[in-house]
Amino acid sequence: MGRDVEVPETVVRRLPIYVRALAQLEAEGIKTISSLELGRFIGVTAAQIRKDLSYFGEFGKQGRGYEVSHLLREVRRILGLTRVWPMVVVGAGRLGQAIASYDGFKPRGFEVVAVFDNDPAKIGQPVGHLVVRDVDELPAIVRALGVKIGIVAVPAAEAQKVANLMVDAGIRAVLNYAPTALHVPEGIRLEDVDPVAILQSMTYYLVSSGDHDPVVAEPSGAAAAGGDSAPEL
Amino acid sequence: MGRDVEVPETVVRRLPIYVRALAQLEAEGIKTISSLELGRFIGVTAAQIRKDLSYFGEFGKQGRGYEVSHLLREVRRILGLTRVWPMVVVGAGRLGQAIASYDGFKPRGFEVVAVFDNDPAKIGQPVGHLVVRDVDELPAIVRALGVKIGIVAVPAAEAQKVANLMVDAGIRAVLNYAPTALHVPEGIRLEDVDPVAILQSMTYYLVSSGDHDPVVAEPSGAAAAGGDSAPEL
């Protein structure tokens, strides 16, 4: 499988973008694509595409580019996406509910199989096609179903405790939605989803390009429901 | 402001992580921190911390480390977070509603000031403290309120059209939740939020470490509400 050399993490992080792009191209009926076109589509250079893929073998044909379906299948295989990965979610608040009900997981290789909370008012309530379970049941369910992926959707103050519980139960990859730095033992994968952090890196560029109004009042109640302070637009 | 040299994008992307960590440390009452401790907290080396911050000036004191509140204030200033940034959301489905109702924006410098959809059934409905507006009103509202940040929360097939509308209206930074590659003119910031892509890069490591069950049936209805096929646990 060409895994003699360690693949840089930045390359691994780009592979899902390739999968997304190739699936889109396949759906549009495109059969072959050059590294130049694929790079333009994704926003990287042709050289980067060729270099990234070279870690895993030979996928293009001299002067013919890549066969879209074949490359898609191969990259999916490399990423372990030839199966559906069961996941558990801890936290059945608004965010946890949105995650558990999200219909974009299944087509891309994932499925939420259980949602947990410690709030008696939430336990037993339906969420998507599941019911919220007591977080005390997590270890048994994770082991019984062989779940390796856990999603943390609790407030920041409870997130580390939940991550510990997951890891102790056998979870090997943690996706953390809580806006706090979690710590996991070596060998456990941990990734944060923090849209506000992304926004904060974008404002750097808005500010440094002078691309903002120098005098801006703090927005308050604009377009608010029923607020009579809403400006006339 | 020490901006004579171009700051690498990877550094800019780390700054919000510093903000998050420093805010957490400040809330815990910690007054000073060494680059070693801060690095350990965030998951980077002390050298990386010092190098990152050196782009913007001198923040530490010889042998005394960083003053938490001061460094937090400075990094916030660098990122343009001394004000609240108004944002518009297009798409009032489950995701758009969750975004519009999310209470984690305001404390970190952002506020959703309008939510749009093109579905007559959604227009006029309340969402958080706002009402859903007709997407046709977007240009006028973006201009009137001087909004520079737009969030795309529509299905993939409509996302490019929405991004174009935003950019034409004066939006300078687009946060895209649709799982598709968008294209924006040069000078416009574009970032994707794609949790599934993050999951897909984690499974690479689960597979390559042999960290999964070799024979796993596709999960189906496990822990499902009322499903009598749910396994006894």
Side-chain angles (χ1 to χ4, degrees):
Chain A
M1 288 172 79
R3 294 237 179 108
D4 315 334
V5 279
E6 181 87 12
V7 180
E9 196 155 327
T10 51
V11 175
V12 175
R13 282 175 192 277
R14 261 194 300 272
L15 293 182
I17 310 301
Y18 291 9
V19 168
R20 210 176 70 179
L22 291 164
Q24 202 170 331
L25 293 165
E26 187 183 55
E28 289 170 11
I30 291 163
K31 302 291 181 201
T32 60
I33 193 164
S34 68
S35 50
L36 187 69
E37 292 165 317
L38 182 57
R40 201 172 286 155
F41 193 77
I42 291 170
V44 301
T45 65
Q48 188 69 67
I49 299 265
R50 288 192 297 266
K51 193 173 169 210
D52 285 357
L53 295 178
S54 72
Y55 284 100
F56 307 100
E58 278 293 332
F59 299 109
K61 286 189 188 117
Q62 200 69 36
R64 293 250 306 275
Y66 301 106
E67 209 237 297
V68 171
S69 298
H70 173 68
L71 184 57
L72 175 57
R73 204 161 49 237
E74 288 299 304
V75 182
R76 277 193 173 134
R77 183 184 56 71
I78 291 162
L79 288 171
L81 303 175
T82 52
R83 50 171 285 190
V84 174
W85 293 83
M87 307 189 293
V88 294
V89 176
V90 177
R94 193 190 301 270
L95 176 64
Q97 287 178 38
I99 293 168
S101 312
Y102 178 55
D103 59 9
F105 285 130
K106 197 73 177 282
R108 296 171 75 192
F110 300 88
E111 183 177 22
V112 176
V113 296
V115 181
F116 300 92
D117 207 293
N118 64 357
D119 179 356
K122 293 207 181 86
I123 294 164
Q125 294 298 309
V127 48
H129 67 293
L130 303 170
V131 288
V132 178
R133 289 176 176 249
D134 190 323
V135 73
D136 289 346
E137 294 183 67
L138 183 139
I141 292 178
V142 162
R143 287 190 193 109
L145 301 177
V147 180
K148 299 295 176 200
I149 303 174
I151 299 181
V152 176
V154 298
E158 294 177 62
Q160 184 63 56
K161 201 176 58 185
V162 166
N164 296 347
L165 178 74
M166 286 179 170
V167 171
D168 288 344
I171 291 290
R172 308 291 296 168
V174 175
L175 188 66
N176 173 38
Y177 277 82
T180 185
L182 297 186
H183 299 271
V184 293
E186 200 158 337
I188 305 293
R189 303 295 307 179
L190 168 68
E191 296 283 350
D192 293 331
V193 180
D194 187 351
V196 181
I198 301 176
L199 289 167
Q200 290 179 333
S201 68
M202 294 204 292
T203 53
Y204 170 82
Y205 294 99
L206 295 184
V207 171
S208 61
S209 68
D211 206 356
H212 63 117
D213 225 301
V215 184
V216 181
E218 182 165 318
S220 62
D228 58 10
S229 65
E232 217 65 52
L233 290 166
Chain B
M1 288 173 78
R3 293 237 178 109
D4 314 333
V5 281
E6 180 88 13
V7 181
E9 197 156 327
T10 50
V11 174
V12 176
R13 284 174 190 279
R14 261 194 300 271
L15 293 183
I17 310 301
Y18 291 8
V19 170
R20 208 175 72 179
L22 291 164
Q24 203 170 331
L25 293 165
E26 187 183 53
E28 290 170 11
I30 291 163
K31 301 291 180 205
T32 60
I33 192 163
S34 68
S35 50
L36 187 70
E37 291 166 317
L38 183 57
R40 199 173 285 155
F41 193 78
I42 291 171
V44 301
T45 64
Q48 187 69 68
I49 299 264
R50 287 193 297 266
K51 193 172 170 212
D52 284 358
L53 295 178
S54 72
Y55 284 100
F56 307 99
E58 279 292 333
F59 299 109
K61 288 191 187 118
Q62 200 69 37
R64 293 251 307 276
Y66 301 106
E67 208 237 297
V68 170
S69 298
H70 174 69
L71 185 57
L72 174 57
R73 202 163 49 239
E74 287 299 302
V75 181
R76 277 193 173 134
R77 184 185 55 72
I78 290 164
L79 288 172
L81 301 175
T82 51
R83 49 171 286 190
V84 174
W85 292 84
M87 307 189 292
V88 294
V89 176
V90 177
R94 192 189 302 271
L95 175 64
Q97 287 178 38
I99 294 168
S101 311
Y102 179 56
D103 59 9
F105 285 129
K106 196 75 176 281
R108 296 171 75 193
F110 300 88
E111 182 177 24
V112 175
V113 296
V115 182
F116 301 92
D117 207 293
N118 64 356
D119 178 358
K122 295 206 180 89
I123 295 164
Q125 296 296 311
V127 48
H129 68 292
L130 304 171
V131 287
V132 179
R133 289 179 176 246
D134 190 322
V135 72
D136 289 346
E137 292 184 69
L138 182 140
I141 292 178
V142 163
R143 287 192 193 107
L145 301 178
V147 180
K148 299 296 175 200
I149 303 174
I151 299 181
V152 176
V154 298
E158 295 177 63
Q160 185 62 58
K161 201 177 59 187
V162 166
N164 296 348
L165 178 74
M166 286 178 169
V167 171
D168 289 345
I171 292 291
R172 308 292 296 169
V174 175
L175 188 67
N176 172 39
Y177 278 82
T180 186
L182 295 186
H183 299 271
V184 292
E186 199 159 336
I188 306 293
R189 303 297 305 179
L190 169 69
E191 297 283 350
D192 293 329
V193 180
D194 187 352
V196 182
I198 300 176
L199 289 168
Q200 291 180 333
S201 67
M202 293 204 292
T203 54
Y204 170 82
Y205 294 99
L206 296 184
V207 171
S208 63
S209 67
D211 205 357
H212 62 117
D213 224 301
V215 184
V216 181
E218 182 164 317
S220 61
D228 55 13
S229 67
E232 217 65 52
L233 290 166

PDB file of all heavy atoms in Angstrom, chain A residues 74-91:
ATOM      1  N   GLU A  74      -9.795   4.658  -4.567  1.00  0.00           N
ATOM      2  CA  GLU A  74      -8.494   4.426  -3.917  1.00  0.00           C
ATOM      3  C   GLU A  74      -8.294   5.323  -2.694  1.00  0.00           C
ATOM      4  O   GLU A  74      -7.826   4.860  -1.655  1.00  0.00           O
ATOM      5  CB  GLU A  74      -7.362   4.637  -4.935  1.00  0.00           C
ATOM      6  CG  GLU A  74      -7.269   3.529  -5.983  1.00  0.00           C
ATOM      7  CD  GLU A  74      -6.982   2.173  -5.343  1.00  0.00           C
ATOM      8  OE1 GLU A  74      -5.972   2.070  -4.622  1.00  0.00           O
ATOM      9  OE2 GLU A  74      -7.787   1.238  -5.529  1.00  0.00           O
ATOM     10  N   VAL A  75      -8.630   6.596  -2.836  1.00  0.00           N
ATOM     11  CA  VAL A  75      -8.434   7.505  -1.704  1.00  0.00           C
ATOM     12  C   VAL A  75      -9.378   7.123  -0.564  1.00  0.00           C
ATOM     13  O   VAL A  75      -9.008   7.162   0.615  1.00  0.00           O
ATOM     14  CB  VAL A  75      -8.608   8.982  -2.117  1.00  0.00           C
ATOM     15  CG1 VAL A  75      -8.355   9.903  -0.917  1.00  0.00           C
ATOM     16  CG2 VAL A  75      -7.640   9.348  -3.236  1.00  0.00           C
ATOM     17  N   ARG A  76     -10.592   6.723  -0.929  1.00  0.00           N
ATOM     18  CA  ARG A  76     -11.522   6.245   0.111  1.00  0.00           C
ATOM     19  C   ARG A  76     -10.939   5.045   0.835  1.00  0.00           C
ATOM     20  O   ARG A  76     -11.034   4.933   2.059  1.00  0.00           O
ATOM     21  CB  ARG A  76     -12.874   5.872  -0.509  1.00  0.00           C
ATOM     22  CG  ARG A  76     -13.786   7.063  -0.719  1.00  0.00           C
ATOM     23  CD  ARG A  76     -15.210   6.587  -1.035  1.00  0.00           C
ATOM     24  NE  ARG A  76     -16.130   7.720  -1.073  1.00  0.00           N
ATOM     25  CZ  ARG A  76     -17.036   7.922  -2.024  1.00  0.00           C
ATOM     26  NH1 ARG A  76     -17.158   7.061  -3.028  1.00  0.00           N
ATOM     27  NH2 ARG A  76     -17.826   8.964  -1.974  1.00  0.00           N
ATOM     28  N   ARG A  77     -10.339   4.119   0.085  1.00  0.00           N
ATOM     29  CA  ARG A  77      -9.747   2.925   0.685  1.00  0.00           C
ATOM     30  C   ARG A  77      -8.610   3.319   1.628  1.00  0.00           C
ATOM     31  O   ARG A  77      -8.510   2.826   2.759  1.00  0.00           O
ATOM     32  CB  ARG A  77      -9.234   1.989  -0.417  1.00  0.00           C
ATOM     33  CG  ARG A  77      -8.663   0.661   0.095  1.00  0.00           C
ATOM     34  CD  ARG A  77      -8.081  -0.176  -1.037  1.00  0.00           C
ATOM     35  NE  ARG A  77      -7.052   0.507  -1.816  1.00  0.00           N
ATOM     36  CZ  ARG A  77      -5.819   0.798  -1.383  1.00  0.00           C
ATOM     37  NH1 ARG A  77      -5.451   0.475  -0.163  1.00  0.00           N
ATOM     38  NH2 ARG A  77      -4.956   1.424  -2.164  1.00  0.00           N
ATOM     39  N   ILE A  78      -7.760   4.235   1.162  1.00  0.00           N
ATOM     40  CA  ILE A  78      -6.628   4.695   1.979  1.00  0.00           C
ATOM     41  C   ILE A  78      -7.117   5.264   3.317  1.00  0.00           C
ATOM     42  O   ILE A  78      -6.520   5.043   4.367  1.00  0.00           O
ATOM     43  CB  ILE A  78      -5.806   5.757   1.206  1.00  0.00           C
ATOM     44  CG1 ILE A  78      -5.079   5.102   0.029  1.00  0.00           C
ATOM     45  CG2 ILE A  78      -4.831   6.481   2.126  1.00  0.00           C
ATOM     46  CD1 ILE A  78      -4.597   6.094  -1.026  1.00  0.00           C
ATOM     47  N   LEU A  79      -8.242   5.981   3.262  1.00  0.00           N
ATOM     48  CA  LEU A  79      -8.780   6.624   4.464  1.00  0.00           C
ATOM     49  C   LEU A  79      -9.634   5.677   5.314  1.00  0.00           C
ATOM     50  O   LEU A  79     -10.152   6.072   6.366  1.00  0.00           O
ATOM     51  CB  LEU A  79      -9.607   7.851   4.081  1.00  0.00           C
ATOM     52  CG  LEU A  79      -8.813   9.065   3.587  1.00  0.00           C
ATOM     53  CD1 LEU A  79      -9.749  10.138   3.039  1.00  0.00           C
ATOM     54  CD2 LEU A  79      -7.954   9.635   4.709  1.00  0.00           C
ATOM     55  N   GLY A  80      -9.800   4.451   4.845  1.00  0.00           N
ATOM     56  CA  GLY A  80     -10.607   3.513   5.629  1.00  0.00           C
ATOM     57  C   GLY A  80     -12.096   3.742   5.473  1.00  0.00           C
ATOM     58  O   GLY A  80     -12.887   3.425   6.363  1.00  0.00           O
ATOM     59  N   LEU A  81     -12.498   4.307   4.340  1.00  0.00           N
ATOM     60  CA  LEU A  81     -13.906   4.664   4.148  1.00  0.00           C
ATOM     61  C   LEU A  81     -14.670   3.628   3.325  1.00  0.00           C
ATOM     62  O   LEU A  81     -15.669   3.943   2.698  1.00  0.00           O
ATOM     63  CB  LEU A  81     -14.010   6.054   3.520  1.00  0.00           C
ATOM     64  CG  LEU A  81     -13.323   7.157   4.327  1.00  0.00           C
ATOM     65  CD1 LEU A  81     -13.373   8.476   3.588  1.00  0.00           C
ATOM     66  CD2 LEU A  81     -13.980   7.286   5.697  1.00  0.00           C
ATOM     67  N   THR A  82     -14.187   2.414   3.334  1.00  0.00           N
ATOM     68  CA  THR A  82     -14.904   1.349   2.618  1.00  0.00           C
ATOM     69  C   THR A  82     -15.934   0.699   3.541  1.00  0.00           C
ATOM     70  O   THR A  82     -16.579  -0.268   3.190  1.00  0.00           O
ATOM     71  CB  THR A  82     -13.906   0.273   2.148  1.00  0.00           C
ATOM     72  OG1 THR A  82     -13.114  -0.136   3.266  1.00  0.00           O
ATOM     73  CG2 THR A  82     -12.980   0.845   1.075  1.00  0.00           C
ATOM     74  N   ARG A  83     -16.053   1.228   4.734  1.00  0.00           N
ATOM     75  CA  ARG A  83     -17.019   0.731   5.702  1.00  0.00           C
ATOM     76  C   ARG A  83     -17.727   1.940   6.309  1.00  0.00           C
ATOM     77  O   ARG A  83     -17.346   3.086   6.061  1.00  0.00           O
ATOM     78  CB  ARG A  83     -16.312  -0.038   6.812  1.00  0.00           C
ATOM     79  CG  ARG A  83     -15.139   0.736   7.422  1.00  0.00           C
ATOM     80  CD  ARG A  83     -14.575   0.097   8.647  1.00  0.00           C
ATOM     81  NE  ARG A  83     -15.483   0.314   9.762  1.00  0.00           N
ATOM     82  CZ  ARG A  83     -15.181   0.029  11.027  1.00  0.00           C
ATOM     83  NH1 ARG A  83     -14.023  -0.470  11.346  1.00  0.00           N
ATOM     84  NH2 ARG A  83     -16.045   0.251  11.997  1.00  0.00           N
ATOM     85  N   VAL A  84     -18.765   1.684   7.080  1.00  0.00           N
ATOM     86  CA  VAL A  84     -19.411   2.755   7.836  1.00  0.00           C
ATOM     87  C   VAL A  84     -18.905   2.682   9.278  1.00  0.00           C
ATOM     88  O   VAL A  84     -18.933   1.628   9.898  1.00  0.00           O
ATOM     89  CB  VAL A  84     -20.951   2.626   7.794  1.00  0.00           C
ATOM     90  CG1 VAL A  84     -21.585   3.657   8.719  1.00  0.00           C
ATOM     91  CG2 VAL A  84     -21.467   2.819   6.373  1.00  0.00           C
ATOM     92  N   TRP A  85     -18.401   3.813   9.781  1.00  0.00           N
ATOM     93  CA  TRP A  85     -17.858   3.867  11.136  1.00  0.00           C
ATOM     94  C   TRP A  85     -18.941   4.304  12.122  1.00  0.00           C
ATOM     95  O   TRP A  85     -19.473   5.405  12.005  1.00  0.00           O
ATOM     96  CB  TRP A  85     -16.710   4.870  11.209  1.00  0.00           C
ATOM     97  CG  TRP A  85     -15.490   4.482  10.445  1.00  0.00           C
ATOM     98  CD1 TRP A  85     -15.273   4.670   9.113  1.00  0.00           C
ATOM     99  CD2 TRP A  85     -14.326   3.826  10.961  1.00  0.00           C
ATOM    100  NE1 TRP A  85     -14.043   4.173   8.760  1.00  0.00           N
ATOM    101  CE2 TRP A  85     -13.430   3.654   9.882  1.00  0.00           C
ATOM    102  CE3 TRP A  85     -13.944   3.388  12.227  1.00  0.00           C
ATOM    103  CZ2 TRP A  85     -12.186   3.048  10.033  1.00  0.00           C
ATOM    104  CZ3 TRP A  85     -12.702   2.790  12.379  1.00  0.00           C
ATOM    105  CH2 TRP A  85     -11.833   2.618  11.286  1.00  0.00           C
ATOM    106  N   PRO A  86     -19.234   3.462  13.110  1.00  0.00           N
ATOM    107  CA  PRO A  86     -20.200   3.889  14.129  1.00  0.00           C
ATOM    108  C   PRO A  86     -19.572   4.919  15.065  1.00  0.00           C
ATOM    109  O   PRO A  86     -18.367   4.878  15.329  1.00  0.00           O
ATOM    110  CB  PRO A  86     -20.513   2.592  14.882  1.00  0.00           C
ATOM    111  CG  PRO A  86     -19.297   1.731  14.699  1.00  0.00           C
ATOM    112  CD  PRO A  86     -18.709   2.105  13.356  1.00  0.00           C
ATOM    113  N   MET A  87     -20.380   5.845  15.519  1.00  0.00           N
ATOM    114  CA  MET A  87     -19.885   6.906  16.425  1.00  0.00           C
ATOM    115  C   MET A  87     -20.876   7.079  17.579  1.00  0.00           C
ATOM    116  O   MET A  87     -22.077   6.860  17.407  1.00  0.00           O
ATOM    117  CB  MET A  87     -19.788   8.244  15.691  1.00  0.00           C
ATOM    118  CG  MET A  87     -18.982   8.217  14.402  1.00  0.00           C
ATOM    119  SD  MET A  87     -18.703   9.880  13.718  1.00  0.00           S
ATOM    120  CE  MET A  87     -20.384  10.357  13.256  1.00  0.00           C
ATOM    121  N   VAL A  88     -20.339   7.506  18.716  1.00  0.00           N
ATOM    122  CA  VAL A  88     -21.226   7.911  19.811  1.00  0.00           C
ATOM    123  C   VAL A  88     -21.068   9.413  20.044  1.00  0.00           C
ATOM    124  O   VAL A  88     -20.005   9.978  19.800  1.00  0.00           O
ATOM    125  CB  VAL A  88     -20.933   7.149  21.126  1.00  0.00           C
ATOM    126  CG1 VAL A  88     -21.264   5.667  20.978  1.00  0.00           C
ATOM    127  CG2 VAL A  88     -19.494   7.356  21.582  1.00  0.00           C
ATOM    128  N   VAL A  89     -22.166  10.029  20.480  1.00  0.00           N
ATOM    129  CA  VAL A  89     -22.165  11.459  20.794  1.00  0.00           C
ATOM    130  C   VAL A  89     -22.483  11.604  22.272  1.00  0.00           C
ATOM    131  O   VAL A  89     -23.418  10.967  22.763  1.00  0.00           O
ATOM    132  CB  VAL A  89     -23.254  12.198  19.968  1.00  0.00           C
ATOM    133  CG1 VAL A  89     -23.322  13.669  20.361  1.00  0.00           C
ATOM    134  CG2 VAL A  89     -22.993  12.044  18.479  1.00  0.00           C
ATOM    135  N   VAL A  90     -21.711  12.406  22.986  1.00  0.00           N
ATOM    136  CA  VAL A  90     -22.085  12.731  24.366  1.00  0.00           C
ATOM    137  C   VAL A  90     -22.484  14.201  24.411  1.00  0.00           C
ATOM    138  O   VAL A  90     -21.710  15.079  24.004  1.00  0.00           O
ATOM    139  CB  VAL A  90     -20.970  12.426  25.382  1.00  0.00           C
ATOM    140  CG1 VAL A  90     -21.391  12.858  26.788  1.00  0.00           C
ATOM    141  CG2 VAL A  90     -20.646  10.928  25.378  1.00  0.00           C
ATOM    142  N   GLY A  91     -23.679  14.437  24.920  1.00  0.00           N
ATOM    143  CA  GLY A  91     -24.264  15.776  24.950  1.00  0.00           C
ATOM    144  C   GLY A  91     -25.485  15.793  24.050  1.00  0.00           C
ATOM    145  O   GLY A  91     -25.357  15.648  22.844  1.00  0.00           O
TER     146      GLY A  91
END
